[in-house]
Amino acid sequence: MSPTVAIIGAGFGGLCMAIRLEQAGIRSYTVFEKGGDVGGTWRDNTYPGAGCDIPSHLYSFSFEKYSSWTRRYPGQPEILAYLESCADKYGLRPRIRLGAEVTSIAFDESLGRWRVRTADGERLFDVVVSAVGQLNRPRLPDIPGMSSFAGPSFHSARWDHSADLTGRRVAVIGSGSSAAQLIPPVAEAAGHLDVFQRTPNWVIPKPDAVFGPAVRAAFRYVPFLQRAYREWVYRYAEATLHSALAGGWSTGLLRRRALEHLHARIPDPELRSKLTPAYPIGCRRVVIDSAFYPALARPDVDVVTDPIVRVTPSGVETVAGHREADVIVYATGFRTTDFLAPLEVVGRRGRRLHEEWKDGAEAYLGIAVPHFPNLFLLYGPNTNLGHNSIVFMLECQVRYIMGCLPYLAGAGPMEVRPEAMDAWRRRLDRAMGDMVWQAGCTSWYKNAAGRVVNNWPGPTTLYRRLTRAPRPGAFRFGG
Ligand code: NAP
């Protein structure tokens, strides 16, 4: 009999898991999705200019290639439409429960099963797959006076489409990847834009292009072309970008590219100096966008680097004075390091996952946690990338979990051994030593103690190899 599987989240990860189960003829699964539709981060992030800086052909499932991408880099509406079409094509919808937030999961040792709780009650499952993402909980800053602001104010991932920005004074707080994408269209609409930047990011241009009908037809009718293009994009990112993050041969090239872009697009030396980072390239997520700098160079846009003191009813006060605003956009990122929060996860002998993780989230291969049998994580700790497609990592993880399922039928719940976790941690620590993320910078990759808990430090080819199939010796089986 097939195991029953609860999948939490219907973004890229949850849908991938559900599709692979369907393809294996396992229909005893339920996808719990707290939102009103599938799509995860691509459903939530509807800010103007939202898109992906990984090429479309790679930012899609290897088994569900899509030849009709209209651009080299996909926009949010097109990615969301792709995910919706996957849910439809693979017949997942009947097993997706929308508006169903899982509030807690607890392993019942006497039954060897998970109790999965939503507002509607509790159900038992053999296996739980968490696919809640790393960038799904907006992080609003803690600036005094925020609630006193008289106009509309909202986080970039909760865009208020009823707020008309036309001709208004707009303040954007933050200058990361989300800000870089939304600032050009906002600057276009607004009367004046103040960008409050705390730390400059390295920026490289995004060589976007429209795929016209001829290119799309070529991708559609010559499948080899699409496969070859996808493979080339993957290999290129792996060879050049990963090496740059590991302090390899391409670091200098990447830095030079970023500086050339800065000099070409920002003629004003004062502004240029504000935008020049003082830490090595790659230490934080590199912004990949061609429209960001030209928008910052507009006469009706100011980059404000004076520290913010408070938000007032009519704007933002910095140490240098008050700046009027009609609308405030918080492009201030996400709660990235407290994985799975606010979900309560209770494993064997009442162990609480967040207690286990108080010094930093960690999981064997980013997938399994000791004392939490039959719980598998997608996009878990140390599986984020700064250089390639997360969809690739998700597919590796899903394949691995599919490889675990046959073991459950005979041997009972499987639980990664603490020794395997220890060896994995040592391996990560060794590899992490080579990576530029450790250099002197703050970033969302690190927890409060400064440990990099989000990123995978190796090449993705290595991750694929390590996750090809479960190694039974790494697990303990049974009740
Ligand atoms: P982010 O990179 O974490 O940027 C948050 C910004 O808000 C930073 O500039 C930060 O300043 C600023 N900030 C936070 N708290 C502040 C405060 N109290 N006062 C002033 N400024 C404050 O978040 P994000 O831009 O949403 O991007 C998150 C990640 O999502 C990206 O790194 C990327 O992986 C992903 N993303 C990807 C794409 C894509 O195209 N693939 C697009 C958007 C997002 P500090 O830097 O000083 O902390």
Side-chain angles (χ1 to χ4, degrees):
M1 216 174 65
S2 301
T4 52
V5 183
I7 301 170
I8 308 175
F12 253 112
L15 294 180
C16 184
M17 189 71 225
I19 292 170
R20 287 311 202 192
L21 287 168
E22 283 280 343
Q23 288 175 327
I26 300 174
R27 308 235 149 69
S28 46
Y29 70 88
T30 302
V31 182
F32 295 94
E33 167 54 55
K34 72 173 159 42
D37 209 339
V38 303
T41 196
W42 298 107
R43 179 207 54 220
D44 290 345
N45 283 273
T46 61
Y47 58 79
C52 187
D53 55 18
I54 299 292
S56 353
H57 284 265
L58 189 58
Y59 200 72
S60 42
F61 297 126
S62 61
F63 53 83
E64 186 55 40
K65 295 189 185 68
Y66 180 57
S67 54
S68 305
W69 294 112
T70 58
R71 314 191 65 86
R72 186 182 287 164
Y73 292 90
Q76 174 266 340
E78 209 170 357
I79 304 172
L80 184 58
Y82 169 79
L83 288 172
E84 286 168 346
S85 77
C86 288
D88 293 332
K89 176 174 172 182
Y90 289 92
L92 311 181
R93 300 253 186 206
R95 277 171 276 279
I96 299 178
R97 288 191 48 209
L98 298 173
E101 177 165 12
V102 176
T103 51
S104 75
I105 58 172
F107 188 69
D108 186 318
E109 295 197 62
S110 59
L111 300 174
R113 306 182 80 194
W114 283 93
R115 295 184 178 278
V116 175
R117 180 166 283 282
T118 63
D120 289 345
E122 192 177 85
R123 281 174 60 187
L124 286 168
F125 288 88
D126 299 314
V127 173
V128 175
V129 177
S130 160
V132 298
Q134 292 190 8
L135 297 161
N136 81 96
R137 292 202 305 137
R139 189 166 60 83
L140 278 171
D142 195 11
I143 303 172
M146 280 170 57
S147 59
S148 72
F149 184 64
S153 66
F154 43 89
H155 187 273
S156 55
R158 298 288 182 272
W159 196 264
D160 178 355
H161 290 276
S162 70
D164 184 8
L165 306 185
T166 317
R168 316 291 297 279
R169 290 189 67 95
V170 180
V172 172
I173 298 181
S175 59
S177 299
S178 301
Q181 291 185 340
L182 65 87
I183 280 169
V186 167
E188 195 63 44
H192 181 87
L193 171 61
D194 281 334
V195 176
F196 292 85
Q197 174 194 271
R198 200 164 58 175
T199 316
N201 284 305
W202 288 99
V203 180
I204 58 172
K206 180 163 89 172
D208 201 6
V210 171
F211 288 141
V215 175
R216 279 185 270 158
F219 280 134
R220 183 166 317 134
Y221 297 115
V222 190
F224 166 75
L225 190 67
Q226 191 175 175
R227 276 202 306 278
Y229 173 65
R230 184 182 160 105
E231 189 63 22
W232 177 79
V233 171
Y234 170 75
R235 297 272 158 208
Y236 179 82
E238 205 56 27
T240 57
L241 294 179
H242 180 264
S243 152
L245 300 181
W249 63 273
S250 54
T251 312
L253 286 180
L254 193 66
R255 187 169 188 278
R256 214 169 311 134
R257 191 155 165 223
L259 285 173
E260 275 165 16
H261 181 53
L262 176 66
H263 280 258
R265 297 291 167 214
I266 307 289
D268 172 16
E270 196 186 325
L271 178 57
R272 212 158 56 214
S273 115
K274 282 184 182 175
L275 298 175
T276 307
Y279 55 85
I281 192 163
C283 190
R284 295 146 61 88
R285 173 68 150 79
V286 174
V287 170
I288 307 174
D289 202 288
S290 302
F292 181 43
Y293 280 160
L296 297 183
R298 289 170 65 119
D300 53 358
V301 174
D302 287 331
V303 176
V304 182
T305 53
D306 312 307
I308 297 172
V309 175
R310 67 176 66 87
V311 174
T312 70
S314 60
V316 179
E317 189 182 315
T318 72
V319 292
H322 189 262
R323 304 190 71 103
E324 295 288 315
D326 303 312
V327 179
I328 299 180
V329 176
Y330 294 101
T332 44
F334 299 86
R335 295 172 181 274
T336 52
T337 55
D338 42 359
F339 289 76
L340 270 71
L343 178 63
E344 185 181 50
V345 183
V346 184
R348 280 200 196 280
R349 289 173 290 284
R351 283 173 182 264
R352 288 172 190 276
L353 188 60
H354 296 296
E355 193 51 33
E356 301 288 306
W357 281 354
K358 63 181 184 321
D359 296 327
E362 58 178 17
Y364 171 70
L365 298 169
I367 299 174
V369 186
H371 315 297
F372 294 82
N374 287 4
L375 170 67
F376 300 104
L377 313 180
L378 296 178
Y379 198 16
N382 292 109
T383 63
N384 178 57
L385 301 175
H387 75 285
N388 213 325
S389 174
I390 293 304
V391 184
F392 177 94
M393 301 294 272
L394 290 171
E395 285 196 49
C396 292
Q397 291 149 12
V398 168
R399 182 182 53 180
Y400 185 88
I401 297 167
M402 291 302 293
C404 289
L405 298 185
Y407 287 100
L408 305 181
M414 63 191 287
E415 176 185 343
V416 69
R417 293 180 183 276
E419 310 85 83
M421 182 64 236
D422 293 343
W424 178 250
R425 187 187 308 110
R426 285 195 297 274
R427 181 180 196 136
L428 276 179
D429 287 347
R430 272 197 308 276
M432 211 54 96
D434 295 335
M435 303 307 290
V436 67
W437 311 313
Q438 309 276 32
C441 71
T442 57
S443 81
W444 64 259
Y445 302 157
K446 294 175 186 165
N447 68 5
R451 183 177 174 82
V452 175
V453 292
N454 291 83
N455 283 14
W456 164 242
T460 61
T461 44
L462 173 63
Y463 189 76
R464 176 166 53 186
R465 210 163 58 239
L466 294 172
T467 52
R468 184 147 282 148
R471 206 168 47 78
F475 290 88
R476 197 174 79 78
F477 293 87

